Amino acid sequence: MLDRKTSSKTEILDAAANCFMELGSDVASIDDIARTLGATKGRIYHHFSSKGALLSAVRMRAIMFILDEVTPIVNNSEAPINTLHDMAYTHVLKILETLPYHRVVLQHYRKNAAKSTTDYERKLISEIEAKRQLYENLYRDILEQGMKTGDFIKRDISVALHSVLLMLNSPVFWFTPLKKNERKNREEIAKQLADMAVACLR
Amino acid sequence: MLDRKTSSKTEILDAAANCFMELGSDVASIDDIARTLGATKGRIYHHFSSKGALLSAVRMRAIMFILDEVTPIVNNSEAPINTLHDMAYTHVLKILETLPYHRVVLQHYRKNAAKSTTDYERKLISEIEAKRQLYENLYRDILEQGMKTGDFIKRDISVALHSVLLMLNSPVFWFTPLKKNERKNREEIAKQLADMAVACLR
DNA sequence: ATCAAGCATACTACGGAGTATGTTGTCAAC
DNA sequence: GTTGACAACATACTCCGTAGTATGCTTGAT
């Protein structure tokens, strides 16, 4: 079945995300990931052409989690403040749900290229970069709009943009999921961060 | 001379910081760093017992840059808002001056331990962690004080603390130094970030 | 019965950390 | 001003982990 195939793939992706998260994507080996699955290299290389391709798949999945969730919000034609608050809240909540993936992403926020990458892997990376740009622009548009209407203080758009986005990603660095009150706790964190994100723009 | 020795050491540290920054501390090899210096492994292993020790030295130097600069500010007995603004401004400015070091630090914000570390390296890491805690508490104290006096809105202290600190570190992710108007540009960025840091707490 | 998908097993090749040893300059003592 | 000794490196190795490959095996669909 095609269903069985994608299921096996996402299982690999989940395991890879966890290993990359814990050891770092450079240190974690394919064997480590396979061991987590109770499998061997063969399974992984059957689905992914290289370690770089697997890593890119993890990063792409991470950004698509967020992009799919936040994109529908931007066109609700409310005030910029409310729209931004909505976007921020949704962003944080989704990140907390898919934490390992975003830990991996942040490891590569600045790392440009590994030592030797193939053309194919470079293509994957540029596709990820494109999606990231797309997502960034959602916020850039809201910020510009809000500064025009006077809802937001006029600041350097680039400084404000990156600062807010990184603040929304900050739980990635410190959040540790607990069983107790999990859902409620996440919502509270998302609310607070969304509040702060809006507050620092006024 | 002892002077000549420390000079050679800091030269190695600068080169290591740059290599670790560009390639990531796992990918960058000792040979890479040596090549940057126009030297060989021998020079590096003469001053540092292992790659982990070198990395720890870079991270320690990074945090000491900031700690030495910001610590004197906290006891100026001004209003919490002004004190925090001062701390934030100084923090950002110093970070922009010693950027490569802090890029390395942020690569390890979450990465706990490599695959195999010696006792000695674990000791170095715990010393770094202690300094980091020390620095974090400078902000924690100001935040608690400000929330008590009503200067700051009451929020979860941990969420607010980490969010603000990460926002102050955000330039590490996107800032690219230019020759043109360098000093002025940095001061402007530091001012804006300090403003935003204070704003998001009110 | 066949054949390919979906793996496992057993190998190769290579880069990088660490080491053992050689080399050069410098200073100190006599 | 010669010798000894040590610091500050360079050179030439070893050894091991890991990415990638080549090939073998099993199961389910047709």
Side-chain angles (χ1 to χ4, degrees):
Chain A
M1 284 294 173
L2 240 118
D3 211 25
R4 205 86 188 113
K5 177 169 186 174
T6 58
S7 154
S8 177
K9 262 188 115 168
T10 59
E11 201 182 323
I12 293 175
L13 286 172
D14 286 345
N18 276 293
C19 282
F20 287 155
M21 169 183 79
E22 284 170 11
L23 297 170
S25 58
D26 298 315
V27 175
S29 70
I30 300 288
D31 287 317
D32 288 334
I33 300 170
R35 201 176 309 125
T36 302
L37 290 164
T40 63
K41 291 165 101 104
R43 179 173 170 191
I44 294 176
Y45 276 100
H46 179 74
H47 290 279
F48 300 93
S49 61
S50 71
K51 184 182 178 181
L54 174 57
L55 176 57
S56 288
V58 170
R59 293 174 62 193
M60 181 57 101
R61 194 166 148 85
I63 198 167
M64 291 313 289
F65 278 141
I66 309 297
L67 198 54
D68 289 345
E69 207 93 346
V70 174
T71 304
I73 299 178
V74 298
N75 287 329
N76 63 358
S77 65
E78 283 203 34
I81 291 184
N82 294 334
T83 304
L84 180 65
H85 194 282
D86 257 25
M87 293 166 67
Y89 181 83
T90 308
H91 175 101
V92 175
L93 210 57
K94 193 63 184 178
I95 278 199
L96 294 179
E97 283 173 15
T98 54
L99 201 60
Y101 284 88
H102 303 286
R103 291 244 166 93
V104 176
V105 168
L106 273 185
Q107 288 175 8
H108 292 256
Y109 217 94
R110 185 77 201 188
K111 196 182 303 175
N112 292 330
K115 247 160 185 179
S116 64
T117 38
T118 69
D119 285 2
Y120 172 63
E121 286 174 8
R122 264 188 290 274
K123 184 187 146 213
L124 291 179
I125 290 175
S126 75
E127 285 173 6
I128 294 172
E129 181 55 28
K131 292 291 182 188
R132 215 184 60 86
Q133 273 292 339
L134 206 65
Y135 187 65
E136 209 176 279
N137 286 338
L138 295 182
Y139 287 81
R140 189 185 298 272
D141 292 345
I142 290 290
L143 286 191
E144 279 174 347
Q145 185 184 335
M147 288 186 188
K148 211 164 265 172
T149 62
D151 290 355
F152 298 145
I153 281 187
K154 285 202 198 325
R155 300 189 200 270
D156 183 303
I157 189 79
S158 188
V159 174
L161 174 65
H162 287 102
S163 302
V164 166
L165 269 178
L166 200 64
M167 191 163 79
L168 295 181
N169 283 328
S170 63
V172 171
F173 290 96
W174 53 265
F175 182 73
T176 337
L178 306 172
K179 324 123 236 245
K180 209 67 176 168
N181 290 336
E182 212 176 331
R183 175 73 189 178
K184 186 161 169 274
N185 190 20
R186 286 177 183 170
E187 287 171 353
E188 179 59 26
I189 291 173
K191 185 190 176 309
Q192 291 213 19
L193 280 173
D195 288 350
M196 292 179 72
V198 171
C200 75
L201 291 172
R202 317 180 64 179
Chain B
M1 283 297 171
L2 241 116
D3 211 25
R4 206 89 186 109
K5 177 169 186 174
T6 59
S7 154
S8 177
K9 261 188 117 171
T10 60
E11 200 182 323
I12 293 175
L13 285 172
D14 286 345
N18 276 293
C19 281
F20 287 156
M21 168 184 82
E22 285 171 10
L23 297 169
S25 58
D26 298 315
V27 175
S29 70
I30 300 288
D31 288 314
D32 288 334
I33 300 169
R35 202 175 309 124
T36 303
L37 290 165
T40 63
K41 290 164 104 101
R43 178 172 172 193
I44 294 176
Y45 276 100
H46 179 73
H47 290 278
F48 300 93
S49 60
S50 71
K51 183 182 178 181
L54 174 57
L55 175 57
S56 287
V58 169
R59 293 174 62 193
M60 181 57 100
R61 194 166 148 86
I63 198 167
M64 291 314 288
F65 278 140
I66 309 297
L67 197 54
D68 289 344
E69 206 94 346
V70 173
T71 304
I73 299 179
V74 298
N75 287 328
N76 62 359
S77 67
E78 283 203 33
I81 291 183
N82 294 335
T83 304
L84 179 66
H85 194 281
D86 257 26
M87 293 166 66
Y89 181 82
T90 308
H91 175 102
V92 176
L93 211 58
K94 193 64 185 176
I95 279 201
L96 294 180
E97 283 173 14
T98 54
L99 201 61
Y101 284 88
H102 303 285
R103 291 244 168 92
V104 176
V105 168
L106 273 184
Q107 289 176 6
H108 292 256
Y109 216 94
R110 186 76 201 187
K111 197 182 301 177
N112 291 331
K115 247 160 185 178
S116 65
T117 37
T118 69
D119 285 3
Y120 172 64
E121 286 174 7
R122 262 188 292 276
K123 185 189 146 212
L124 292 179
I125 290 175
S126 75
E127 284 172 6
I128 294 172
E129 181 55 27
K131 293 292 181 186
R132 212 184 62 85
Q133 274 291 337
L134 206 66
Y135 187 66
E136 210 176 280
N137 287 338
L138 295 183
Y139 286 82
R140 189 186 298 273
D141 292 345
I142 290 290
L143 286 190
E144 279 175 347
Q145 184 185 336
M147 287 187 190
K148 212 164 265 173
T149 62
D151 290 356
F152 299 145
I153 281 187
K154 285 200 197 329
R155 300 190 200 270
D156 183 303
I157 189 79
S158 189
V159 174
L161 175 65
H162 287 102
S163 302
V164 166
L165 269 178
L166 201 64
M167 193 164 78
L168 295 182
N169 284 328
S170 64
V172 171
F173 290 97
W174 54 265
F175 182 74
T176 338
L178 306 171
K179 323 125 239 245
K180 208 67 176 165
N181 288 334
E182 211 176 330
R183 176 73 190 179
K184 185 158 169 278
N185 190 20
R186 285 176 183 173
E187 286 171 351
E188 179 59 26
I189 291 173
K191 186 189 174 312
Q192 290 214 16
L193 279 173
D195 287 351
M196 292 178 73
V198 171
C200 75
L201 290 172
R202 317 181 64 176

